[in-house]
Amino acid sequence: MSTISVLMVEPSKRPSIVSIDNDLNEFENIVNGPLDMQPFFRSPFKIVCNVDNGYELTYGKRKPSDSFFIVKHDGHFQSIDRTEAEEVRDYLKEKMKKWK
């Protein structure tokens, strides 16, 4: 099984780049349930989150209660590199200021 690098966002922790198995079951374990994928920042970046949090993460202002991660997806999941992760993290930081 291959691994991919993602920007992981866990409650009460700073976003960090981690390697995870490129496997849907692993993704569901991370987000604590069924998956949702929402657009983020700019194409091809996506938020991979619990289906119950997807709308709020994209359009709402409520702080997420579960972990989620940001990855590149253009038909299949791809690693995010350090430079991309820094851009995404900066954008995420501004978005997180609006969460309650």
Side-chain angles (χ1 to χ4, degrees):
M1 180 177 310
S2 65
T3 61
I4 55 173
S5 296
V6 302
L7 184 65
M8 183 68 65
V9 183
E10 298 174 278
S12 304
K13 292 186 179 179
R14 289 184 166 188
S16 60
I17 299 172
V18 299
S19 291
I20 61 173
D21 290 336
N22 190 358
D23 175 73
L24 293 178
N25 289 327
E26 177 69 13
F27 297 174
E28 287 180 340
N29 288 337
I30 291 168
V31 303
N32 196 28
L35 296 178
D36 190 12
M37 206 163 52
Q38 294 285 327
F40 186 75
F41 183 50
R42 59 179 165 82
S43 185
F45 298 103
K46 304 284 186 204
I47 292 176
V48 178
C49 59
N50 186 297
V51 70
D52 294 330
N53 294 328
Y55 181 85
E56 283 294 329
L57 285 170
T58 304
Y59 303 107
K61 294 184 179 180
R62 187 169 42 101
K63 186 177 181 178
S65 57
D66 293 314
S67 298
F68 65 93
F69 59 92
I70 300 166
V71 66
K72 290 193 301 189
H73 185 273
D74 192 14
H76 62 281
F77 293 99
Q78 303 170 43
S79 288
I80 188 170
D81 67 33
R82 288 223 175 266
T83 303
E84 293 166 332
E86 288 175 16
E87 288 180 77
V88 170
R89 194 179 354 223
D90 289 344
Y91 181 83
L92 181 62
K93 192 184 299 184
E94 289 303 311
K95 187 168 184 60
M96 290 171 82
K97 287 179 185 177
K98 299 174 186 173
W99 290 343
K100 297 176 184 173

Coordinates of all heavy atoms in Angstrom, one line a residue, residues 33-96:
G33 N -15.5 8.5 10.7 CA -16.8 8.2 10.1 C -16.7 8.3 8.6 O -15.7 8.4 7.9
P34 N -17.9 8.3 7.9 CA -18.0 8.4 6.5 C -17.4 9.7 5.9 O -17.5 10.7 6.6 CB -19.5 8.3 6.2 CG -20.2 8.2 7.5 CD -19.2 8.3 8.6
L35 N -16.8 9.5 4.7 CA -16.1 10.7 4.2 C -16.9 11.6 3.4 O -17.9 11.3 2.8 CB -15.0 10.1 3.2 CG -13.9 9.3 3.7 CD1 -13.1 8.8 2.5 CD2 -13.1 10.0 4.7
D36 N -16.5 12.9 3.4 CA -17.0 13.9 2.5 C -15.7 14.6 2.0 O -14.7 14.6 2.6 CB -17.8 14.9 3.3 CG -18.5 15.9 2.4 OD1 -18.6 15.7 1.1 OD2 -19.1 16.9 2.9
M37 N -15.8 15.1 0.7 CA -14.7 15.8 0.1 C -15.2 17.1 -0.4 O -16.2 17.2 -1.1 CB -14.1 15.0 -1.0 CG -12.7 15.3 -1.3 SD -11.8 14.0 -2.2 CE -12.8 13.8 -3.7
Q38 N -14.6 18.2 0.1 CA -15.0 19.6 -0.3 C -13.9 20.3 -1.0 O -12.7 20.1 -0.6 CB -15.4 20.3 1.0 CG -16.6 19.8 1.7 CD -17.9 20.1 1.0 OE1 -18.0 21.1 0.3 NE2 -18.9 19.2 1.0
P39 N -14.2 21.2 -1.9 CA -13.2 22.0 -2.5 C -12.5 22.9 -1.4 O -13.2 23.3 -0.5 CB -13.9 22.9 -3.5 CG -15.4 22.8 -3.1 CD -15.6 21.6 -2.3
F40 N -11.3 23.2 -1.6 CA -10.6 24.1 -0.7 C -9.5 24.9 -1.4 O -8.7 24.3 -2.2 CB -9.9 23.2 0.4 CG -9.3 24.0 1.5 CD1 -10.1 24.7 2.4 CD2 -8.0 24.2 1.6 CE1 -9.6 25.4 3.5 CE2 -7.4 25.0 2.6 CZ -8.2 25.6 3.5
F41 N -9.4 26.1 -1.0 CA -8.3 27.0 -1.5 C -8.4 27.2 -3.0 O -8.9 28.2 -3.5 CB -7.0 26.5 -1.0 CG -5.8 27.3 -1.3 CD1 -5.8 28.7 -1.1 CD2 -4.7 26.8 -1.9 CE1 -4.6 29.5 -1.4 CE2 -3.5 27.5 -2.2 CZ -3.5 28.9 -1.9
R42 N -7.9 26.3 -3.7 CA -7.9 26.3 -5.2 C -7.7 24.9 -5.7 O -7.3 24.0 -5.0 CB -6.9 27.3 -5.8 CG -5.4 26.9 -5.4 CD -4.5 27.9 -6.1 NE -3.2 27.8 -5.5 CZ -2.2 26.9 -5.8 NH1 -2.5 26.0 -6.7 NH2 -1.1 26.9 -5.2
S43 N -8.2 24.7 -6.9 CA -8.0 23.3 -7.5 C -6.5 23.0 -7.6 O -5.7 23.9 -7.8 CB -8.6 23.4 -8.9 OG -8.6 22.1 -9.5
P44 N -6.2 21.8 -7.3 CA -6.9 20.5 -7.0 C -7.0 20.2 -5.5 O -7.2 19.0 -5.2 CB -6.0 19.5 -7.7 CG -4.6 20.0 -7.5 CD -4.7 21.5 -7.5
F45 N -6.8 21.2 -4.6 CA -6.9 20.9 -3.2 C -8.3 20.6 -2.7 O -9.2 21.2 -3.1 CB -6.3 22.0 -2.4 CG -4.8 22.3 -2.7 CD1 -4.5 23.4 -3.5 CD2 -3.8 21.5 -2.2 CE1 -3.2 23.6 -3.8 CE2 -2.5 21.7 -2.5 CZ -2.2 22.8 -3.4
K46 N -8.4 19.6 -1.8 CA -9.7 19.2 -1.3 C -9.5 18.9 0.2 O -8.5 18.5 0.7 CB -10.1 17.8 -1.9 CG -10.2 17.8 -3.4 CD -11.5 18.6 -3.9 CE -11.6 18.4 -5.4 NZ -12.3 19.4 -6.0
I47 N -10.6 19.3 0.9 CA -10.7 18.9 2.3 C -11.3 17.5 2.4 O -12.4 17.3 1.7 CB -11.6 19.8 3.1 CG1 -11.0 21.2 3.2 CG2 -12.0 19.3 4.5 CD1 -11.9 22.3 3.9
V48 N -10.7 16.6 3.1 CA -11.3 15.3 3.3 C -11.7 15.2 4.8 O -10.9 15.4 5.7 CB -10.3 14.1 3.0 CG1 -10.9 12.8 3.3 CG2 -9.9 14.2 1.5
C49 N -13.0 15.1 5.0 CA -13.5 15.2 6.4 C -14.7 14.3 6.6 O -15.1 13.6 5.7 CB -14.0 16.7 6.6 SG -15.3 17.2 5.4
N50 N -15.2 14.3 7.8 CA -16.4 13.5 8.1 C -17.6 14.2 7.4 O -17.7 15.4 7.3 CB -16.6 13.5 9.6 CG -17.8 12.7 10.1 OD1 -18.9 12.9 9.7 ND2 -17.5 11.7 10.9
V51 N -18.5 13.3 6.9 CA -19.6 13.8 6.1 C -20.5 14.8 6.9 O -21.1 15.8 6.3 CB -20.5 12.7 5.6 CG1 -21.2 12.0 6.7 CG2 -21.5 13.1 4.5
D52 N -20.5 14.7 8.2 CA -21.2 15.7 9.1 C -20.6 17.0 9.2 O -21.2 18.0 9.6 CB -21.4 15.1 10.5 CG -22.3 13.8 10.5 OD1 -23.2 13.7 9.6 OD2 -22.1 13.0 11.4
N53 N -19.3 17.1 8.8 CA -18.6 18.4 9.0 C -18.3 19.1 7.6 O -17.9 20.3 7.7 CB -17.2 18.2 9.6 CG -17.3 17.7 11.1 OD1 -18.3 18.1 11.8 ND2 -16.4 16.9 11.5
G54 N -18.6 18.5 6.5 CA -18.2 19.0 5.2 C -18.7 20.4 4.9 O -18.0 21.3 4.6
Y55 N -20.0 20.6 5.1 CA -20.6 21.9 4.8 C -20.0 23.0 5.7 O -19.7 24.1 5.2 CB -22.1 21.9 4.9 CG -22.8 23.2 4.6 CD1 -23.1 23.5 3.3 CD2 -23.0 24.1 5.6 CE1 -23.6 24.7 3.0 CE2 -23.6 25.3 5.3 CZ -23.9 25.6 4.0 OH -24.5 26.8 3.7
E56 N -19.9 22.7 7.0 CA -19.4 23.7 7.9 C -18.0 24.1 7.6 O -17.6 25.2 7.8 CB -19.6 23.2 9.4 CG -21.0 23.3 9.9 CD -21.5 24.7 10.1 OE1 -20.7 25.6 10.3 OE2 -22.7 24.9 10.0
L57 N -17.2 23.1 7.3 CA -15.8 23.4 7.0 C -15.6 24.3 5.8 O -14.7 25.1 5.7 CB -15.0 22.1 6.8 CG -14.6 21.3 8.0 CD1 -14.1 20.0 7.7 CD2 -13.7 22.1 8.9
T58 N -16.5 24.1 4.8 CA -16.4 24.9 3.6 C -17.1 26.2 3.7 O -16.6 27.3 3.3 CB -17.0 24.1 2.4 OG1 -16.3 22.8 2.3 CG2 -16.8 24.8 1.1
Y59 N -18.3 26.2 4.2 CA -19.2 27.4 4.1 C -19.5 28.0 5.5 O -19.9 29.2 5.6 CB -20.5 27.1 3.4 CG -20.2 26.6 2.0 CD1 -20.4 25.2 1.8 CD2 -19.8 27.4 1.0 CE1 -20.2 24.7 0.5 CE2 -19.5 26.9 -0.3 CZ -19.7 25.6 -0.5 OH -19.5 25.1 -1.8
G60 N -19.4 27.3 6.6 CA -19.8 27.7 7.9 C -18.7 28.4 8.7 O -17.6 28.7 8.2
K61 N -19.0 28.6 9.9 CA -18.1 29.3 10.8 C -17.9 28.6 12.1 O -17.4 29.1 13.0 CB -18.6 30.7 11.1 CG -18.6 31.6 9.8 CD -19.0 33.0 10.2 CE -18.9 33.8 8.9 NZ -19.3 35.2 9.1
R62 N -18.3 27.3 12.1 CA -18.2 26.5 13.3 C -16.9 25.7 13.3 O -16.5 25.1 12.3 CB -19.4 25.5 13.4 CG -19.5 24.8 14.7 CD -20.8 24.0 14.9 NE -21.2 23.4 13.6 CZ -21.1 22.1 13.4 NH1 -20.5 21.3 14.3 NH2 -21.5 21.6 12.3
K63 N -16.2 25.7 14.4 CA -15.0 25.0 14.6 C -15.2 23.5 14.5 O -16.1 23.0 15.1 CB -14.3 25.3 15.9 CG -13.0 24.8 16.1 CD -12.5 25.2 17.5 CE -11.1 24.7 17.7 NZ -10.5 25.2 19.0
P64 N -14.5 22.8 13.7 CA -14.7 21.3 13.5 C -14.4 20.6 14.8 O -13.5 20.9 15.5 CB -13.8 20.9 12.4 CG -12.7 22.0 12.4 CD -13.4 23.2 12.9
S65 N -15.2 19.5 15.1 CA -14.9 18.7 16.3 C -14.1 17.5 16.0 O -13.6 16.8 16.9 CB -16.2 18.3 16.9 OG -17.0 17.6 16.0
D66 N -13.9 17.1 14.7 CA -13.2 16.0 14.3 C -12.0 16.4 13.5 O -11.9 17.5 12.9 CB -14.0 15.0 13.5 CG -15.2 14.4 14.3 OD1 -14.9 13.9 15.4 OD2 -16.3 14.4 13.8
S67 N -11.0 15.4 13.4 CA -9.9 15.7 12.5 C -10.3 15.7 11.0 O -11.3 15.1 10.6 CB -8.8 14.6 12.7 OG -8.4 14.6 14.0
F68 N -9.5 16.4 10.2 CA -9.7 16.4 8.8 C -8.4 16.6 8.2 O -7.4 16.9 8.9 CB -10.7 17.4 8.3 CG -10.4 18.9 8.5 CD1 -9.7 19.6 7.6 CD2 -10.7 19.5 9.7 CE1 -9.4 20.9 7.8 CE2 -10.3 20.8 9.9 CZ -9.7 21.5 9.0
F69 N -8.2 16.4 6.9 CA -7.0 16.7 6.2 C -7.2 17.3 4.8 O -8.3 17.2 4.3 CB -6.1 15.4 6.1 CG -6.6 14.3 5.4 CD1 -6.4 14.1 4.1 CD2 -7.4 13.3 6.1 CE1 -6.9 13.0 3.4 CE2 -7.9 12.2 5.4 CZ -7.7 12.0 4.1
I70 N -6.1 17.9 4.3 CA -6.2 18.5 3.0 C -5.1 17.8 2.2 O -4.0 17.6 2.6 CB -5.9 20.0 3.2 CG1 -6.9 20.7 4.1 CG2 -5.8 20.7 1.8 CD1 -6.6 22.1 4.5
V71 N -5.6 17.5 0.9 CA -4.8 16.7 0.0 C -5.1 17.2 -1.4 O -6.1 17.9 -1.6 CB -5.2 15.2 0.2 CG1 -6.6 15.0 -0.3 CG2 -4.2 14.3 -0.5
K72 N -4.3 16.8 -2.3 CA -4.6 17.1 -3.7 C -5.4 15.9 -4.3 O -5.1 14.8 -4.0 CB -3.3 17.3 -4.6 CG -2.5 18.5 -4.3 CD -1.4 18.8 -5.3 CE -0.4 17.8 -5.4 NZ 0.7 18.1 -6.2
H73 N -6.4 16.3 -5.1 CA -7.2 15.2 -5.7 C -7.6 15.7 -7.1 O -8.3 16.7 -7.2 CB -8.5 15.0 -4.8 CG -9.3 13.8 -5.4 ND1 -10.3 14.0 -6.3 CD2 -9.3 12.5 -5.1 CE1 -10.8 12.9 -6.6 NE2 -10.2 11.9 -5.8
D74 N -7.2 15.0 -8.1 CA -7.5 15.3 -9.4 C -7.9 13.9 -10.1 O -7.2 13.5 -11.0 CB -6.4 16.0 -10.1 CG -6.8 16.6 -11.5 OD1 -8.0 16.7 -11.8 OD2 -5.9 17.0 -12.3
G75 N -8.9 13.3 -9.6 CA -9.3 12.0 -10.1 C -8.7 10.9 -9.2 O -9.3 9.8 -9.1
H76 N -7.6 11.2 -8.5 CA -7.0 10.3 -7.5 C -6.3 11.1 -6.5 O -5.9 12.3 -6.8 CB -6.2 9.2 -8.2 CG -5.0 9.7 -8.9 ND1 -5.0 10.3 -10.1 CD2 -3.7 9.8 -8.5 CE1 -3.8 10.7 -10.5 NE2 -3.0 10.4 -9.5
F77 N -6.1 10.6 -5.3 CA -5.4 11.3 -4.3 C -3.9 11.4 -4.5 O -3.3 10.4 -4.9 CB -5.6 10.6 -2.9 CG -7.1 10.6 -2.5 CD1 -7.9 9.6 -2.7 CD2 -7.6 11.8 -1.9 CE1 -9.3 9.6 -2.3 CE2 -8.9 11.8 -1.5 CZ -9.7 10.8 -1.7
Q78 N -3.4 12.6 -4.3 CA -1.9 12.8 -4.5 C -1.3 13.6 -3.3 O -2.0 14.3 -2.6 CB -1.8 13.7 -5.7 CG -2.3 13.2 -7.0 CD -2.3 14.3 -8.1 OE1 -1.3 15.0 -8.2 NE2 -3.4 14.4 -8.8
S79 N -0.1 13.4 -3.1 CA 0.6 14.0 -2.0 C 0.7 15.5 -2.2 O 0.7 16.0 -3.3 CB 2.1 13.5 -1.9 OG 2.1 12.2 -1.3
I80 N 0.7 16.2 -1.0 CA 0.9 17.6 -1.0 C 2.3 17.9 -0.6 O 2.8 17.2 0.3 CB -0.1 18.3 0.0 CG1 -0.1 19.8 -0.1 CG2 0.1 17.8 1.4 CD1 -1.3 20.4 0.7
D81 N 3.0 18.8 -1.3 CA 4.4 19.0 -1.0 C 4.6 20.1 0.0 O 3.6 20.8 0.3 CB 5.3 19.2 -2.2 CG 5.0 20.5 -3.0 OD1 4.6 21.5 -2.4 OD2 5.2 20.4 -4.3
R82 N 5.8 20.3 0.5 CA 6.0 21.4 1.6 C 5.6 22.8 1.1 O 4.9 23.5 1.9 CB 7.4 21.4 2.0 CG 7.8 20.2 2.8 CD 8.7 20.6 4.0 NE 8.9 19.4 4.8 CZ 8.2 19.1 5.9 NH1 7.2 19.8 6.2 NH2 8.5 18.0 6.6
T83 N 5.9 23.2 -0.1 CA 5.6 24.5 -0.6 C 4.1 24.7 -0.6 O 3.5 25.7 -0.2 CB 6.2 24.8 -1.9 OG1 7.6 24.6 -1.8 CG2 5.9 26.1 -2.4
E84 N 3.4 23.7 -1.2 CA 1.9 23.7 -1.3 C 1.3 23.7 0.1 O 0.4 24.4 0.4 CB 1.4 22.5 -2.0 CG 1.8 22.5 -3.5 CD 1.6 21.2 -4.2 OE1 1.6 20.1 -3.5 OE2 1.3 21.2 -5.4
A85 N 1.9 22.9 1.0 CA 1.4 22.8 2.4 C 1.5 24.2 3.1 O 0.5 24.6 3.8 CB 2.1 21.8 3.2
E86 N 2.5 24.9 2.8 CA 2.7 26.3 3.4 C 1.6 27.2 2.9 O 1.0 28.0 3.7 CB 4.1 26.8 3.2 CG 5.1 26.1 4.0 CD 6.5 26.5 3.7 OE1 6.7 27.6 3.0 OE2 7.5 25.8 4.1
E87 N 1.4 27.2 1.6 CA 0.3 28.0 1.0 C -1.0 27.7 1.6 O -1.8 28.6 2.0 CB 0.3 27.8 -0.5 CG 1.4 28.4 -1.3 CD 1.2 28.1 -2.8 OE1 0.3 28.8 -3.4 OE2 1.8 27.2 -3.3
V88 N -1.3 26.4 1.6 CA -2.6 25.9 2.2 C -2.8 26.3 3.6 O -3.8 26.7 4.1 CB -2.8 24.4 1.9 CG1 -4.0 23.9 2.7 CG2 -2.9 24.1 0.4
R89 N -1.7 26.1 4.4 CA -1.7 26.4 5.8 C -2.0 27.9 6.1 O -2.7 28.3 7.0 CB -0.4 26.0 6.5 CG -0.4 26.0 8.0 CD 0.9 25.5 8.6 NE 1.9 25.1 7.7 CZ 2.6 24.0 7.9 NH1 2.5 23.3 9.0 NH2 3.6 23.7 7.1
D90 N -1.4 28.8 5.3 CA -1.6 30.2 5.4 C -3.1 30.5 5.1 O -3.7 31.3 5.9 CB -0.7 31.0 4.5 CG 0.7 31.0 4.9 OD1 1.0 30.6 6.0 OD2 1.6 31.3 4.0
Y91 N -3.7 29.9 4.1 CA -5.1 30.2 3.8 C -5.9 29.6 4.9 O -6.9 30.2 5.4 CB -5.4 29.5 2.5 CG -6.8 29.7 2.1 CD1 -7.2 30.8 1.4 CD2 -7.8 28.7 2.3 CE1 -8.6 31.0 1.0 CE2 -9.1 28.9 2.0 CZ -9.5 30.1 1.3 OH -10.8 30.2 0.9
L92 N -5.6 28.4 5.4 CA -6.4 27.8 6.5 C -6.3 28.6 7.8 O -7.3 28.8 8.5 CB -5.8 26.4 6.7 CG -6.5 25.6 7.8 CD1 -7.9 25.3 7.5 CD2 -5.7 24.3 8.0
K93 N -5.2 29.2 8.0 CA -5.0 30.1 9.2 C -6.0 31.2 9.2 O -6.6 31.5 10.2 CB -3.6 30.6 9.3 CG -3.2 31.2 10.6 CD -1.9 31.8 10.7 CE -0.8 30.8 10.4 NZ 0.6 31.4 10.5
E94 N -6.2 31.9 8.1 CA -7.1 32.9 7.9 C -8.6 32.4 8.1 O -9.4 33.1 8.8 CB -7.0 33.7 6.6 CG -5.7 34.5 6.5 CD -5.6 35.5 7.6 OE1 -6.6 36.3 7.8 OE2 -4.5 35.6 8.2
K95 N -8.9 31.3 7.5 CA -10.2 30.7 7.6 C -10.5 30.3 9.1 O -11.6 30.5 9.6 CB -10.3 29.5 6.7 CG -11.7 28.9 6.7 CD -11.7 27.9 5.5 CE -13.1 27.3 5.3 NZ -14.1 28.3 5.0
M96 N -9.5 29.8 9.8 CA -9.7 29.3 11.2 C -10.0 30.5 12.1 O -10.7 30.3 13.1 CB -8.5 28.6 11.7 CG -8.3 27.2 11.0 SD -6.8 26.4 11.4 CE -7.2 25.7 13.0

